[in-house]
């Protein structure tokens, strides 16, 4: 099945028409299934980027909220204005930021995710990891099957990149991850900590790293040097296609 990932919000530049912002949002399309992963930070920037990319939010089938940090839910109000049919997937912790209340008032169906679940028809082979850890906050990630193995899309990877990768390896019986796209949350680390973290990424057998958002510039450079062609340079407006 054909997959297409369009990055709507990221702090790294790519498409010059679009504004960068500290946050993450991306649209994953698998044939006719549309999953919006997170909602960026500033509503105005999310809205502008959505419009410039020509994305019709009313067509989104699932809104996947990885976690409740403000840099992942900023465009919620605009999304709710545009979409009245999507199912919203949120990690367990329903009262945080009053998020569920906002969504529930909108009439959209909400699924509170604790354990791994399929998203959409089973033959699309796209899933939530379930909440991998509630520390420092509950977060779930998305994983999807492709010809070259499973790929992960993550918001901030607060439960740690290697723990999320391990969860997917356990769930799928694969001993590697094809791509890991999203925030790796290395931005507060010093050089020594980055070295250690990157070592763990390698040990988690992640083949291609699409490290963006809260990975931090320094860690991205280390990963770029190490992974070479297998470093996927994610930025706002980037489109990735695979099967
Ligand atoms: Fe974030
Ligand atoms: Fe976060």
């Amino acid at each position: 099945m054909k997959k297409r990932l369009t990055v709507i919000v990221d702090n790294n530049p790519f498409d010059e028409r679009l504004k960068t912002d500290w946050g993450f949002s991306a649209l994953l399309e698998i044939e006719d299934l549309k999953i919006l992963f997170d909602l960026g930070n500033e509503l105005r920037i999310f809205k502008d980027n959505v419009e410039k990319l020509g994305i019709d939010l009313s067509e989104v089938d699932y809104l996947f909220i990885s976690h409740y940090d403000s840099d992942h839910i900023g465009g919620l109000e605009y999304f709710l204005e545009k979409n009245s049919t999507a199912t919203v997937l949120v990690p367990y912790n329903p009262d945080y930021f009053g998020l569920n209340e906002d969504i529930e008032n909108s009439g959209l169906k909400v699924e509170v995710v604790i354990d791994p679940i399929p998203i959409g028809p089973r033959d699309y082979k796209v899933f939530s990891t379930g909440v991998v850890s509630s520390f420092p906050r509950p977060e779930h990630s998305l994983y999807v099957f492709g010809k070259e193995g499973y790929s992960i899309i993550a918001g901030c990877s607060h439960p740690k990149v290697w723990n999320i990768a391990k969860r997917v390896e356990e769930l799928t019986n694969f001993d590697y991850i094809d791509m890991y796209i999203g925030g790796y949350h290395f931005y507060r680390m010093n050089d020594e900590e980055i070295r250690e973290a990157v070592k763990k990424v390698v040990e988690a057998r992640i083949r291609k790293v699409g490290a963006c958002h809260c990975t931090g510039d320094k860690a991205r450079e280390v990963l770029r040097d190490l992974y070479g062609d297998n470093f996927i340079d994610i930025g706002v407006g980037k489109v990735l296609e695979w099967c």
Side-chain angles (χ1 to χ4, degrees):
M1 276 183 168
K2 267 199 215 147
K3 284 134 202 119
R4 183 184 162 94
L5 184 79
T6 306
V7 179
I8 301 169
V9 177
D10 184 39
N11 20 306
N12 300 290
F14 182 74
D15 181 334
E16 283 170 4
R17 296 173 303 151
L18 307 177
K19 284 203 188 86
T20 57
D21 195 11
W22 180 270
F24 189 66
S25 172
L27 179 70
L28 175 65
E29 295 166 88
I30 308 169
E31 303 286 348
D32 57 334
L33 182 71
K34 293 181 199 291
I35 302 169
L36 180 63
F37 186 98
D38 287 349
L39 293 156
N41 182 34
E42 234 189 81
L43 189 142
R44 190 179 44 86
I45 293 177
F46 174 76
K47 179 176 184 277
D48 277 6
N49 289 359
V50 163
E51 283 171 359
K52 288 202 175 104
L53 288 164
I55 292 169
D56 184 350
L57 292 179
S58 72
E59 292 176 351
V60 168
D61 301 295
Y62 287 89
L63 170 61
F64 188 109
I65 293 176
S66 66
H67 66 304
Y68 305 112
D69 279 354
S70 57
D71 55 337
H72 296 258
I73 57 169
L76 180 61
E77 199 185 310
Y78 179 61
F79 178 82
L80 295 178
E81 236 173 66
K82 293 283 172 190
N83 188 299
S84 54
T85 54
T87 297
V88 189
L89 303 168
V90 297
Y92 179 68
N93 189 354
D95 295 327
Y96 205 75
F97 276 125
L99 180 68
N100 273 13
E101 206 179 300
D102 289 349
I103 293 168
E104 269 170 21
N105 290 341
S106 75
L108 296 184
K109 188 177 167 217
V110 182
E111 279 183 39
V112 178
V113 178
I114 304 175
D115 297 319
I117 51 159
I119 303 168
R122 271 188 183 267
D123 58 335
Y124 282 66
K125 293 187 179 155
V126 55
F127 308 88
S128 160
T129 58
V131 175
V132 173
S133 164
S134 288
F135 179 80
R137 68 212 70 185
E139 179 172 346
H140 65 147
S141 305
L142 180 153
Y143 65 103
V144 58
F145 182 70
K147 261 201 320 218
E148 302 196 12
Y150 280 92
S151 294
I152 295 173
I153 300 168
C156 279
S157 305
H158 291 294
K160 310 287 185 205
V161 172
W162 40 91
N163 292 332
I164 296 167
K166 191 172 160 230
R167 159 83 55 112
V168 172
E169 288 169 359
E170 283 167 2
L171 288 166
T172 61
N173 287 322
F174 273 60
D175 61 2
Y176 68 93
I177 301 297
D178 180 32
M179 291 192 279
Y180 192 120
I181 296 158
Y184 283 37
H185 214 70
F186 295 165
Y187 76 106
R188 283 200 178 112
M189 293 179 176
N190 64 32
D191 290 357
E192 181 54 36
E193 288 164 338
I194 288 174
R195 259 198 301 278
E196 278 303 305
V198 167
K199 207 174 128 206
K200 287 183 179 170
V201 171
V202 174
E203 284 167 2
R205 297 175 296 266
I206 297 165
R207 290 187 172 169
K208 295 171 217 142
V209 292
C212 57
H213 177 40
C214 54
T215 305
D217 292 343
K218 238 198 258 171
R220 283 183 96 230
E221 287 320 307
V222 174
L223 287 164
R224 190 196 300 274
D225 285 350
L226 186 67
Y227 277 83
D229 288 345
N230 287 328
F231 179 84
I232 306 167
D233 208 351
I234 301 287
V236 63
K238 174 94 173 187
V239 176
L240 279 182
E241 290 180 315
W242 72 103
C243 287

